[in-house]
Amino acid sequence: MLALEALREAVDLQRANGSSDAFDNGVRLGLSRELIAAVVQLIRGSEGATVTLHWSAAVGVPHGFGNRRLLIEFSPGDLPALEAAAERLERSEPAVAVELTGAVVRLKRAVPHGEGVVRLRVLTGAEVDEVRVRLGDADYRTAVVAHLEGTPVRLSGMLERKGGFRRLSGAADVSLVPLDEAERDRLAKALRLRATGFLGAGEGEDGPDEADGADDAG
């Protein structure tokens, strides 16, 4: 919610004085190109959107938020500022070191016994939905096993943006994350639900090294 508040403030400043600096400052609070794209999708073709947040009585209000109801509104008049901000963040977003846990949802390589490209649905480690990572033969085979067994993988690297999608460069320490049967079933259900959302939102465009076609796990 802090990221949405930062986005609302940045849009107001941009519309008032033309300055886009507040969008860069909001990144430390979680503001991202993906969040802006989601807001754009909500308000395009509509009369506007209102986002509210209510804290569970059982959990209580988190530290730093105060006992207040959060309500943020966006209108079609915000679209130019939002679209310009998305382009700005895409150009300026730095690579960051991360350790991710993700489910392998696609594998592809041109020839057996070589490096290949893997797409991961991110479970923990970064506030992004999917990343692509190029792996050497041994790590690629680990990803194949994870895909076939329905087991997540854990790996580290530099999270960066290339065009409209995310990559993990310099991947290292690729390993399986064991799950029991109940955990594996929960993961499979969660991935099916998220895949439905991705298709509805038109996500999943392939980059130049991942053309559409049959997956190759070999």
Side-chain angles (χ1 to χ4, degrees), residues 7-22:
L7 179 58
R8 179 66 266 172
E9 180 179 350
V11 168
D12 290 340
L13 288 173
Q14 200 277 340
R15 295 185 66 178
N17 58 28
S19 173
S20 299
D21 293 344

Side-chain angles (χ1 to χ4, degrees), residues 152-174:
V153 293
R154 182 177 295 118
L155 69 169
S156 59
M158 297 298 294
L159 183 65
E160 58 187 29
R161 179 181 295 282
K162 292 292 184 181
F165 50 92
R166 301 290 189 124
R167 288 184 186 274
L168 190 71
S169 64
D173 305 320
V174 180

Side-chain angles (χ1 to χ4, degrees), residues 122-161:
V122 177
L123 303 175
T124 64
E127 294 298 321
V128 299
D129 292 309
E130 287 193 350
V131 299
R132 297 172 190 173
V133 54
R134 185 173 292 277
L135 300 175
D137 181 60
D139 289 336
Y140 186 87
R141 290 178 180 276
T142 299
V144 170
V145 172
H147 184 61
L148 294 176
E149 295 184 354
T151 300
V153 293
R154 182 177 295 118
L155 69 169
S156 59
M158 297 298 294
L159 183 65
E160 58 187 29
R161 179 181 295 282

Side-chain angles (χ1 to χ4, degrees), residues 110-130:
V111 295
H113 312 298
E115 67 176 18
V117 176
V118 176
R119 186 183 298 178
L120 300 176
R121 192 71 48 79
V122 177
L123 303 175
T124 64
E127 294 298 321
V128 299
D129 292 309
E130 287 193 350

Side-chain angles (χ1 to χ4, degrees), residues 83-94:
E83 291 169 344
E87 294 177 5
R88 179 186 179 96
L89 292 185
E90 182 172 338
R91 292 192 304 267
S92 64
E93 188 172 337

